[in-house]
Amino acid sequence: VKRSIQTLKTTLRGILDTGTTSRSHCLPLLEFGFNSVRNESTSMSPFELDIGYIPREPASVATMRRPRSSRVPEVERFLDSLRENHALAMDRLQLAQGRQARPFNKLHRADPFFQVGDRVML
């Protein structure tokens, strides 16, 4: 529970730091993501406990091959929004990985290189 709350705080902080004026559209996606993650204690997600399976993620819908066109303009706008959010999330993940790699690499040495015949202490 403690880890889940920390993850939610971190995610909400990231949403709030985006500087966009309308953040409420992110909350359903955040809720969906939280309900899709398996809990360590139960080995099941809240969705699995509630409805018996994990529904398809909005991101998988957003990255599906696009049909010719929808007859409902609101659906098109929603899918476009999902695609934009997915692309933004991928960019931010790459930036976060770079930020996390620098301190990790400072603390970890490269693996030593040994050649056949080198003496090593075991």
Side-chain angles (χ1 to χ4, degrees), residues 56-100:
R56 246 182 153 162
E57 306 96 29
S60 67
V61 173
T63 57
M64 287 175 24
R65 191 167 26 134
R66 190 176 191 155
R68 287 182 213 156
S69 69
S70 171
R71 295 179 187 197
V72 182
E74 186 59 32
V75 170
E76 284 299 312
R77 284 192 289 275
F78 176 71
L79 288 175
D80 287 341
S81 172
L82 284 179
R83 287 183 189 97
E84 289 171 18
N85 288 342
H86 183 261
L88 180 64
M90 295 303 289
D91 291 342
R92 289 188 177 159
L93 282 172
Q94 286 180 337
L95 290 172
Q97 286 175 343
R99 283 193 312 266
Q100 294 165 2

Short mmCIF file of all heavy atoms in Angstrom, two decimals, residues 56-100:
data_model
loop_
_atom_site.label_atom_id
_atom_site.label_comp_id
_atom_site.label_asym_id
_atom_site.label_seq_id
_atom_site.Cartn_x
_atom_site.Cartn_y
_atom_site.Cartn_z
N ARG A 56 -8.29 -3.86 -22.07
CA ARG A 56 -7.30 -3.29 -22.96
C ARG A 56 -6.93 -1.89 -22.53
O ARG A 56 -7.80 -1.10 -22.17
CB ARG A 56 -7.89 -3.21 -24.35
CG ARG A 56 -7.23 -4.08 -25.32
CD ARG A 56 -7.89 -3.85 -26.64
NE ARG A 56 -6.89 -4.16 -27.62
CZ ARG A 56 -7.15 -4.41 -28.85
NH1 ARG A 56 -8.37 -4.36 -29.29
NH2 ARG A 56 -6.19 -4.70 -29.67
N GLU A 57 -5.64 -1.58 -22.59
CA GLU A 57 -5.20 -0.24 -22.19
C GLU A 57 -5.54 0.77 -23.26
O GLU A 57 -5.51 0.46 -24.45
CB GLU A 57 -3.68 -0.19 -21.98
CG GLU A 57 -3.14 -1.20 -21.05
CD GLU A 57 -2.64 -2.44 -21.78
OE1 GLU A 57 -2.19 -2.34 -22.93
OE2 GLU A 57 -2.70 -3.51 -21.18
N PRO A 58 -5.83 2.02 -22.83
CA PRO A 58 -6.07 3.06 -23.83
C PRO A 58 -4.88 3.25 -24.77
O PRO A 58 -5.06 3.53 -25.94
CB PRO A 58 -6.30 4.32 -22.98
CG PRO A 58 -6.79 3.81 -21.68
CD PRO A 58 -6.07 2.48 -21.49
N ALA A 59 -3.66 3.06 -24.27
CA ALA A 59 -2.48 3.22 -25.13
C ALA A 59 -2.47 2.18 -26.23
O ALA A 59 -2.08 2.47 -27.36
CB ALA A 59 -1.20 3.13 -24.31
N SER A 60 -2.91 0.95 -25.93
CA SER A 60 -2.93 -0.07 -26.98
C SER A 60 -3.99 0.27 -28.03
O SER A 60 -3.83 -0.01 -29.20
CB SER A 60 -3.17 -1.46 -26.40
OG SER A 60 -4.47 -1.57 -25.87
N VAL A 61 -5.08 0.89 -27.59
CA VAL A 61 -6.09 1.34 -28.54
C VAL A 61 -5.53 2.48 -29.40
O VAL A 61 -5.73 2.53 -30.61
CB VAL A 61 -7.37 1.80 -27.80
CG1 VAL A 61 -8.36 2.42 -28.77
CG2 VAL A 61 -7.99 0.63 -27.06
N ALA A 62 -4.76 3.37 -28.75
CA ALA A 62 -4.22 4.52 -29.46
C ALA A 62 -3.17 4.12 -30.49
O ALA A 62 -3.00 4.80 -31.50
CB ALA A 62 -3.60 5.51 -28.47
N THR A 63 -2.46 3.02 -30.25
CA THR A 63 -1.40 2.62 -31.17
C THR A 63 -1.87 1.57 -32.18
O THR A 63 -1.08 1.12 -33.00
CB THR A 63 -0.19 2.08 -30.39
OG1 THR A 63 -0.62 0.98 -29.57
CG2 THR A 63 0.42 3.16 -29.53
N MET A 64 -3.14 1.18 -32.11
CA MET A 64 -3.66 0.24 -33.09
C MET A 64 -3.68 0.88 -34.47
O MET A 64 -3.67 2.09 -34.61
CB MET A 64 -5.10 -0.17 -32.72
CG MET A 64 -5.19 -1.09 -31.55
SD MET A 64 -6.88 -1.48 -31.03
CE MET A 64 -7.89 -1.23 -32.42
N ARG A 65 -3.70 0.03 -35.49
CA ARG A 65 -3.81 0.56 -36.83
C ARG A 65 -5.12 1.33 -36.94
O ARG A 65 -6.17 0.88 -36.52
CB ARG A 65 -3.78 -0.57 -37.85
CG ARG A 65 -3.62 -0.09 -39.25
CD ARG A 65 -3.26 -1.17 -40.23
NE ARG A 65 -3.69 -2.48 -39.85
CZ ARG A 65 -4.30 -3.33 -40.67
NH1 ARG A 65 -4.54 -3.00 -41.91
NH2 ARG A 65 -4.64 -4.51 -40.26
N ARG A 66 -5.01 2.50 -37.49
CA ARG A 66 -6.14 3.42 -37.53
C ARG A 66 -7.12 3.03 -38.64
O ARG A 66 -6.71 2.84 -39.78
CB ARG A 66 -5.62 4.82 -37.75
CG ARG A 66 -6.65 5.87 -37.58
CD ARG A 66 -6.00 7.23 -37.72
NE ARG A 66 -6.95 8.23 -37.30
CZ ARG A 66 -6.59 9.40 -36.86
NH1 ARG A 66 -5.32 9.71 -36.79
NH2 ARG A 66 -7.48 10.27 -36.50
N PRO A 67 -8.42 2.92 -38.30
CA PRO A 67 -9.40 2.68 -39.37
C PRO A 67 -9.48 3.90 -40.27
O PRO A 67 -8.98 4.97 -39.93
CB PRO A 67 -10.71 2.45 -38.60
CG PRO A 67 -10.50 3.04 -37.26
CD PRO A 67 -9.01 3.03 -37.00
N ARG A 68 -10.13 3.75 -41.39
CA ARG A 68 -10.22 4.85 -42.35
C ARG A 68 -10.70 6.13 -41.69
O ARG A 68 -10.06 7.14 -41.74
CB ARG A 68 -11.13 4.47 -43.50
CG ARG A 68 -10.49 3.48 -44.40
CD ARG A 68 -11.39 3.14 -45.55
NE ARG A 68 -11.12 1.74 -45.87
CZ ARG A 68 -11.95 0.96 -46.46
NH1 ARG A 68 -13.12 1.39 -46.85
NH2 ARG A 68 -11.63 -0.29 -46.69
N SER A 69 -11.84 6.09 -41.06
CA SER A 69 -12.32 7.25 -40.31
C SER A 69 -13.48 6.81 -39.45
O SER A 69 -14.13 5.82 -39.71
CB SER A 69 -12.74 8.39 -41.24
OG SER A 69 -13.91 8.01 -41.94
N SER A 70 -13.71 7.57 -38.42
CA SER A 70 -14.81 7.29 -37.52
C SER A 70 -15.99 8.17 -37.92
O SER A 70 -15.82 9.27 -38.42
CB SER A 70 -14.40 7.59 -36.08
OG SER A 70 -15.52 7.51 -35.25
N ARG A 71 -17.16 7.68 -37.66
CA ARG A 71 -18.35 8.48 -37.95
C ARG A 71 -18.65 9.43 -36.80
O ARG A 71 -19.53 10.26 -36.92
CB ARG A 71 -19.53 7.57 -38.21
CG ARG A 71 -19.33 6.73 -39.44
CD ARG A 71 -20.47 5.83 -39.68
NE ARG A 71 -20.12 4.95 -40.79
CZ ARG A 71 -20.99 4.27 -41.46
NH1 ARG A 71 -22.26 4.32 -41.15
NH2 ARG A 71 -20.60 3.51 -42.43
N VAL A 72 -17.92 9.26 -35.71
CA VAL A 72 -18.16 10.10 -34.54
C VAL A 72 -16.92 10.98 -34.33
O VAL A 72 -15.86 10.49 -33.96
CB VAL A 72 -18.42 9.23 -33.29
CG1 VAL A 72 -18.72 10.10 -32.09
CG2 VAL A 72 -19.53 8.23 -33.55
N PRO A 73 -17.03 12.28 -34.59
CA PRO A 73 -15.87 13.16 -34.46
C PRO A 73 -15.25 13.14 -33.07
O PRO A 73 -14.03 13.24 -32.93
CB PRO A 73 -16.43 14.55 -34.79
CG PRO A 73 -17.69 14.31 -35.52
CD PRO A 73 -18.22 13.00 -35.06
N GLU A 74 -16.06 12.98 -32.04
CA GLU A 74 -15.53 12.96 -30.67
C GLU A 74 -14.61 11.76 -30.47
O GLU A 74 -13.61 11.85 -29.77
CB GLU A 74 -16.68 12.93 -29.65
CG GLU A 74 -16.23 13.04 -28.23
CD GLU A 74 -15.45 14.32 -27.94
OE1 GLU A 74 -15.72 15.36 -28.55
OE2 GLU A 74 -14.56 14.27 -27.08
N VAL A 75 -14.91 10.64 -31.12
CA VAL A 75 -14.04 9.46 -31.04
C VAL A 75 -12.69 9.78 -31.67
O VAL A 75 -11.64 9.43 -31.12
CB VAL A 75 -14.70 8.24 -31.72
CG1 VAL A 75 -13.72 7.09 -31.86
CG2 VAL A 75 -15.94 7.81 -30.95
N GLU A 76 -12.71 10.44 -32.80
CA GLU A 76 -11.46 10.82 -33.47
C GLU A 76 -10.63 11.74 -32.59
O GLU A 76 -9.42 11.58 -32.45
CB GLU A 76 -11.74 11.50 -34.82
CG GLU A 76 -12.14 10.55 -35.90
CD GLU A 76 -11.05 9.54 -36.20
OE1 GLU A 76 -9.88 9.92 -36.36
OE2 GLU A 76 -11.38 8.34 -36.28
N ARG A 77 -11.28 12.72 -31.96
CA ARG A 77 -10.56 13.64 -31.07
C ARG A 77 -9.98 12.89 -29.88
O ARG A 77 -8.85 13.14 -29.46
CB ARG A 77 -11.48 14.77 -30.61
CG ARG A 77 -11.73 15.82 -31.68
CD ARG A 77 -12.41 17.06 -31.11
NE ARG A 77 -13.79 16.81 -30.74
CZ ARG A 77 -14.83 16.89 -31.59
NH1 ARG A 77 -14.62 17.20 -32.85
NH2 ARG A 77 -16.05 16.67 -31.17
N PHE A 78 -10.76 11.96 -29.33
CA PHE A 78 -10.29 11.17 -28.19
C PHE A 78 -9.07 10.33 -28.58
O PHE A 78 -8.07 10.30 -27.87
CB PHE A 78 -11.41 10.28 -27.65
CG PHE A 78 -10.99 9.38 -26.54
CD1 PHE A 78 -10.71 9.90 -25.28
CD2 PHE A 78 -10.87 8.02 -26.74
CE1 PHE A 78 -10.31 9.08 -24.24
CE2 PHE A 78 -10.48 7.19 -25.70
CZ PHE A 78 -10.20 7.72 -24.45
N LEU A 79 -9.15 9.65 -29.71
CA LEU A 79 -8.02 8.83 -30.16
C LEU A 79 -6.80 9.68 -30.47
O LEU A 79 -5.67 9.30 -30.16
CB LEU A 79 -8.42 8.00 -31.38
CG LEU A 79 -9.37 6.84 -31.11
CD1 LEU A 79 -9.78 6.17 -32.41
CD2 LEU A 79 -8.76 5.83 -30.15
N ASP A 80 -7.00 10.85 -31.07
CA ASP A 80 -5.88 11.76 -31.32
C ASP A 80 -5.24 12.19 -30.01
O ASP A 80 -4.01 12.25 -29.89
CB ASP A 80 -6.34 12.99 -32.11
CG ASP A 80 -6.64 12.66 -33.57
OD1 ASP A 80 -6.16 11.61 -34.05
OD2 ASP A 80 -7.37 13.45 -34.20
N SER A 81 -6.08 12.48 -29.01
CA SER A 81 -5.57 12.86 -27.69
C SER A 81 -4.77 11.72 -27.07
O SER A 81 -3.69 11.94 -26.50
CB SER A 81 -6.73 13.25 -26.78
OG SER A 81 -6.29 13.44 -25.47
N LEU A 82 -5.26 10.49 -27.20
CA LEU A 82 -4.53 9.34 -26.66
C LEU A 82 -3.18 9.18 -27.36
O LEU A 82 -2.16 8.91 -26.71
CB LEU A 82 -5.34 8.05 -26.83
CG LEU A 82 -6.49 7.83 -25.87
CD1 LEU A 82 -7.20 6.52 -26.21
CD2 LEU A 82 -6.01 7.81 -24.43
N ARG A 83 -3.17 9.34 -28.67
CA ARG A 83 -1.92 9.21 -29.41
C ARG A 83 -0.91 10.29 -29.00
O ARG A 83 0.27 10.00 -28.82
CB ARG A 83 -2.19 9.28 -30.91
CG ARG A 83 -2.86 8.04 -31.45
CD ARG A 83 -3.06 8.11 -32.97
NE ARG A 83 -3.88 7.01 -33.39
CZ ARG A 83 -5.20 7.08 -33.60
NH1 ARG A 83 -5.82 8.23 -33.48
NH2 ARG A 83 -5.88 6.02 -33.97
N GLU A 84 -1.39 11.51 -28.83
CA GLU A 84 -0.50 12.59 -28.39
C GLU A 84 0.04 12.32 -26.99
O GLU A 84 1.23 12.50 -26.73
CB GLU A 84 -1.25 13.92 -28.42
CG GLU A 84 -1.53 14.44 -29.81
CD GLU A 84 -2.46 15.64 -29.80
OE1 GLU A 84 -2.62 16.27 -28.74
OE2 GLU A 84 -3.04 15.95 -30.86
N ASN A 85 -0.83 11.89 -26.09
CA ASN A 85 -0.39 11.57 -24.72
C ASN A 85 0.60 10.42 -24.71
O ASN A 85 1.57 10.43 -23.96
CB ASN A 85 -1.59 11.24 -23.83
CG ASN A 85 -2.42 12.45 -23.49
OD1 ASN A 85 -1.96 13.58 -23.63
ND2 ASN A 85 -3.64 12.23 -23.06
N HIS A 86 0.37 9.43 -25.56
CA HIS A 86 1.29 8.29 -25.64
C HIS A 86 2.67 8.74 -26.12
O HIS A 86 3.69 8.35 -25.55
CB HIS A 86 0.70 7.24 -26.59
CG HIS A 86 1.51 6.00 -26.68
ND1 HIS A 86 2.37 5.77 -27.71
CD2 HIS A 86 1.61 4.93 -25.84
CE1 HIS A 86 2.97 4.60 -27.53
NE2 HIS A 86 2.53 4.07 -26.41
N ALA A 87 2.69 9.57 -27.15
CA ALA A 87 3.97 10.08 -27.67
C ALA A 87 4.67 10.93 -26.61
O ALA A 87 5.89 10.81 -26.42
CB ALA A 87 3.74 10.89 -28.94
N LEU A 88 3.92 11.77 -25.91
CA LEU A 88 4.48 12.59 -24.85
C LEU A 88 5.05 11.73 -23.73
O LEU A 88 6.16 11.97 -23.24
CB LEU A 88 3.42 13.55 -24.30
CG LEU A 88 3.84 14.49 -23.19
CD1 LEU A 88 4.91 15.46 -23.70
CD2 LEU A 88 2.64 15.26 -22.67
N ALA A 89 4.32 10.69 -23.35
CA ALA A 89 4.79 9.80 -22.29
C ALA A 89 6.07 9.08 -22.70
O ALA A 89 7.00 8.94 -21.90
CB ALA A 89 3.71 8.77 -21.94
N MET A 90 6.16 8.66 -23.95
CA MET A 90 7.37 7.97 -24.42
C MET A 90 8.56 8.93 -24.39
O MET A 90 9.65 8.54 -23.97
CB MET A 90 7.16 7.43 -25.84
CG MET A 90 6.11 6.33 -25.93
SD MET A 90 6.45 4.93 -24.85
CE MET A 90 7.82 4.21 -25.68
N ASP A 91 8.36 10.18 -24.79
CA ASP A 91 9.44 11.17 -24.74
C ASP A 91 9.89 11.40 -23.30
O ASP A 91 11.08 11.45 -23.00
CB ASP A 91 8.99 12.50 -25.35
CG ASP A 91 8.79 12.42 -26.86
OD1 ASP A 91 9.32 11.47 -27.47
OD2 ASP A 91 8.11 13.30 -27.40
N ARG A 92 8.94 11.54 -22.39
CA ARG A 92 9.28 11.78 -20.99
C ARG A 92 9.97 10.59 -20.35
O ARG A 92 10.84 10.75 -19.51
CB ARG A 92 8.04 12.17 -20.21
CG ARG A 92 7.58 13.56 -20.60
CD ARG A 92 6.49 14.05 -19.72
NE ARG A 92 6.14 15.40 -20.10
CZ ARG A 92 5.01 15.97 -19.82
NH1 ARG A 92 4.10 15.31 -19.13
NH2 ARG A 92 4.77 17.20 -20.19
N LEU A 93 9.57 9.38 -20.76
CA LEU A 93 10.25 8.19 -20.24
C LEU A 93 11.71 8.15 -20.68
O LEU A 93 12.59 7.79 -19.90
CB LEU A 93 9.53 6.92 -20.69
CG LEU A 93 8.26 6.57 -19.94
CD1 LEU A 93 7.54 5.40 -20.61
CD2 LEU A 93 8.57 6.23 -18.49
N GLN A 94 11.96 8.52 -21.92
CA GLN A 94 13.34 8.55 -22.40
C GLN A 94 14.16 9.57 -21.62
O GLN A 94 15.31 9.31 -21.24
CB GLN A 94 13.40 8.85 -23.89
CG GLN A 94 12.97 7.67 -24.73
CD GLN A 94 13.02 7.98 -26.21
OE1 GLN A 94 12.96 9.14 -26.62
NE2 GLN A 94 13.13 6.94 -27.02
N LEU A 95 13.59 10.74 -21.36
CA LEU A 95 14.29 11.76 -20.57
C LEU A 95 14.55 11.25 -19.15
O LEU A 95 15.64 11.44 -18.60
CB LEU A 95 13.48 13.05 -20.52
CG LEU A 95 13.37 13.83 -21.82
CD1 LEU A 95 12.38 14.98 -21.68
CD2 LEU A 95 14.74 14.37 -22.23
N ALA A 96 13.55 10.61 -18.55
CA ALA A 96 13.71 10.09 -17.19
C ALA A 96 14.79 9.00 -17.14
O ALA A 96 15.58 8.96 -16.20
CB ALA A 96 12.39 9.54 -16.68
N GLN A 97 14.83 8.15 -18.15
CA GLN A 97 15.86 7.12 -18.18
C GLN A 97 17.25 7.73 -18.24
O GLN A 97 18.17 7.27 -17.59
CB GLN A 97 15.64 6.18 -19.37
CG GLN A 97 14.50 5.24 -19.18
CD GLN A 97 14.22 4.41 -20.42
OE1 GLN A 97 14.66 4.73 -21.53
NE2 GLN A 97 13.46 3.35 -20.24
N GLY A 98 17.40 8.80 -19.03
CA GLY A 98 18.69 9.48 -19.11
C GLY A 98 19.08 10.09 -17.78
O GLY A 98 20.23 9.99 -17.34
N ARG A 99 18.10 10.73 -17.10
CA ARG A 99 18.39 11.32 -15.78
C ARG A 99 18.75 10.25 -14.76
O ARG A 99 19.61 10.45 -13.92
CB ARG A 99 17.17 12.10 -15.28
CG ARG A 99 16.97 13.45 -15.91
CD ARG A 99 15.95 14.28 -15.15
NE ARG A 99 14.73 13.58 -14.85
CZ ARG A 99 13.62 13.59 -15.59
NH1 ARG A 99 13.60 14.28 -16.71
NH2 ARG A 99 12.55 12.93 -15.22
N GLN A 100 18.10 9.12 -14.82
CA GLN A 100 18.36 8.05 -13.86
C GLN A 100 19.66 7.33 -14.16
O GLN A 100 20.32 6.80 -13.25
CB GLN A 100 17.20 7.05 -13.86
CG GLN A 100 15.91 7.64 -13.34
CD GLN A 100 14.70 6.79 -13.67
OE1 GLN A 100 14.81 5.73 -14.27
NE2 GLN A 100 13.53 7.27 -13.28
#
